[in-house]
Amino acid sequence: MEDSQIMDLYWDRNENAIAETNRKYGALCGSIAMNLLSDREDAEECVNDTWIEAWNQIPPQRPKSLKAWLCRIVRNISINRWRKNHALKRYQGINQLLDELEDCIPSPKSVEQELEDAALGRCIDTWLLSLPGEDRVLFVLRYWHGRALNELADQWNIPAPRLTKKMYRLRLSLKAALEREEIYL
């Protein structure tokens, strides 16, 4: 079923919208949640919470890209779940990802947080668009989807040590781009 048809089901408040969304995007959302949480039950709960969130937000929202919108929701829900679990010292699912990005993403300190967030987002978007396609995809798979380096190395047929160096160079490049825009750590 096409995204526009799924969106129409939501707008008509037809419960089949959830089933169709799960059929089309359940595996993708599940992999994002699982990559971040490393716990199947928590990942399943986050995916189910994503469907509830979609049901509650559509209408009035009508996302331009249902896939991207759902991925953002499941990612945010999963990160919130990770934070809750991490506060209880239970899971280490995304520690490594956050540690790797810590050196190049500034911490929020000013009153103008929304403006800084928007500037940060624009800078990262511009930086990503400047990358060769393979580097951009690898960066997004690693730091948005939370894929393991070994999994990416196998999928892209790149030796793991070489991929580790590539990701390190990409993080340095991002840090330099942020500093050029005067977004400091």
Side-chain angles (χ1 to χ4, degrees):
M1 183 175 277
E2 295 296 318
D3 285 358
S4 60
Q5 294 170 309
I6 295 172
M7 294 293 293
D8 290 341
L9 291 174
Y10 278 108
W11 277 84
D12 294 339
R13 303 313 284 167
N14 185 330
E15 291 180 10
N16 289 331
I18 293 173
E20 290 299 325
T21 304
N22 187 49
R23 185 187 59 75
K24 188 166 184 180
Y25 295 115
L28 173 64
C29 290
S31 74
I32 291 170
M34 187 63 187
N35 287 338
L36 295 175
L37 296 168
S38 301
D39 181 88
R40 187 181 54 77
E41 289 179 9
D42 279 351
E44 287 174 6
E45 284 184 36
C46 288
V47 170
N48 289 334
D49 289 349
T50 300
W51 305 155
I52 292 169
E53 191 71 20
W55 182 261
N56 291 334
Q57 289 189 29
I58 304 173
Q61 291 191 30
R62 191 170 190 98
K64 293 179 184 175
S65 169
L66 182 61
K67 179 180 179 180
W69 187 75
L70 291 169
C71 287
R72 180 180 52 85
I73 290 173
V74 75
R75 185 173 188 276
N76 289 341
I77 289 172
S78 298
I79 289 172
N80 288 339
R81 173 65 58 94
W82 177 86
R83 286 180 176 142
K84 177 184 162 205
N85 291 340
H86 184 68
L88 300 173
K89 302 289 184 194
R90 291 184 185 166
Y91 300 98
Q92 299 299 320
I94 62 172
N95 269 343
Q96 185 179 1
L97 296 176
L98 296 175
D99 288 345
E100 289 175 6
L101 285 174
E102 186 177 274
D103 292 338
C104 53
I105 302 295
S107 62
K109 292 183 182 175
S110 78
V111 177
E112 302 87 10
Q113 184 59 47
E114 287 189 32
L115 293 174
E116 289 178 4
D117 288 349
L120 175 62
R122 283 190 304 274
C123 184
I124 291 173
D125 286 345
T126 301
W127 174 78
L128 279 170
L129 290 172
S130 74
L131 294 176
E134 179 181 296
D135 289 351
R136 180 173 46 247
V137 171
L138 284 168
F139 191 87
V140 169
L141 287 173
R142 175 72 176 139
Y143 296 110
W144 180 260
H145 292 276
R147 294 270 185 84
L149 282 172
N150 290 337
E151 180 185 340
L152 289 173
D154 290 342
Q155 180 182 353
W156 288 79
N157 202 24
I158 300 172
R162 188 169 140 229
L163 182 59
T164 301
K165 289 178 186 175
K166 179 187 277 277
M167 299 312 288
Y168 176 72
R169 286 192 299 272
L170 287 172
R171 290 192 309 273
L172 289 179
S173 172
L174 173 58
K175 184 177 180 179
L178 293 172
E179 288 174 351
R180 278 193 302 276
E181 295 296 319
E182 298 182 358
I183 300 174
Y184 295 103
L185 303 176

